[in-house]
Amino acid sequence: MEKIRELKIKKIQSPGGSLSFFEKNKEINFDIKRIYFIYEFSKENRRGFHAHKELKQVMFCPHGKIQVEFTDGRIKQSYLLDDPTKILVIEKGYWREFVSLEEGSILCVGASDVYDEKDYIRNYEEYLKWEAQNNESTI
Ligand code: T46
């Protein structure tokens, strides 16, 4: 899936701690208009089960371990966010599900737009039809 990129970002270490960053026109190709984060995952913690029609995102896990799975209905791709210096840059149109594999994990998301429920497809059958019509597949 070319439209999902896993990148390793810089880590600047000093006696006071470590610092990592990413920037527009370098690692990401969009403005971030919203940041949200998911934490205090429950034991039955599988989340997601939706796709975004337009939203682009950058995801990272500053603490813990999160597995994120994407599909376009044909190819499935799984990513393990287990290091604060790993980021996922995600183009629009992919169905995703994710799970925390470690207590205390945090998933942070930088999104290209403000919250709009109309941008979500939350039914998988509906997603497959949308994907076929919009030809968002990378295949
Ligand atoms: C995504 C994954 C990784 C808001 O009111 N504003 C917001 O900005 C967000 C993100 C959510 N909400 C509301 C909508 C629902 O009533 O919070 C509730 C939980 O959202 P949702 O069920 O979509 O949560 P996740 O964890 O399944 O998905 C979220 C994001 O919605 C989604 O964009 O890609 O994290």
Side-chain angles (χ1 to χ4, degrees):
M1 289 188 184
E2 289 162 30
K3 290 183 182 176
I4 299 173
R5 290 179 294 137
E6 183 184 281
L7 304 176
K8 190 90 179 145
I9 55 172
K10 275 188 190 161
K11 178 176 184 176
I12 299 179
Q13 290 175 286
S14 68
S18 299
L19 183 153
S20 293
F21 59 92
F22 51 85
E23 292 180 15
K24 189 186 169 192
N25 296 335
K26 290 186 179 165
E27 291 81 6
I28 60 169
N29 56 353
F30 54 87
D31 285 328
I32 291 177
K33 293 192 183 164
R34 175 171 52 120
I35 291 173
Y36 50 93
F37 40 99
I38 298 151
Y39 54 103
E40 298 176 350
F41 281 83
S42 69
K43 284 196 178 150
E44 299 295 325
N45 64 24
R46 203 164 178 83
R47 298 181 65 109
F49 304 99
H50 60 256
H52 284 288
K53 293 177 193 164
E54 294 297 334
L55 196 75
K56 298 177 183 185
Q57 295 158 306
V58 55
M59 286 184 191
F60 56 101
C61 174
H63 183 76
K65 198 181 283 189
I66 307 269
Q67 185 173 306
V68 194
E69 293 162 5
F70 296 94
T71 186
D72 59 4
R74 284 167 278 189
I75 291 180
K76 280 189 182 166
Q77 186 72 57
S78 179
Y79 296 88
L80 186 63
L81 294 175
D82 58 351
D83 179 326
T85 63
K86 266 190 202 174
I87 65 169
L88 290 180
V89 184
I90 305 142
E91 298 292 327
K92 64 181 180 177
Y94 291 95
W95 185 266
R96 80 281 314 276
E97 298 175 17
F98 58 100
V99 66
S100 161
L101 302 180
E102 210 171 87
E103 204 175 333
S105 294
I106 302 171
L107 180 67
C108 291
V109 183
S112 63
D113 214 338
V114 297
Y115 177 70
D116 180 4
E117 186 57 37
K118 292 195 291 300
D119 189 63
Y120 285 74
I121 307 172
R122 292 190 184 268
N123 174 287
Y124 190 62
E125 297 305 315
E126 202 183 302
Y127 168 69
L128 292 179
K129 283 184 202 158
W130 178 89
E131 211 289 325
Q133 280 168 7
N134 289 272
N135 196 23
E136 291 295 341
S137 168
T138 55
I139 307 165

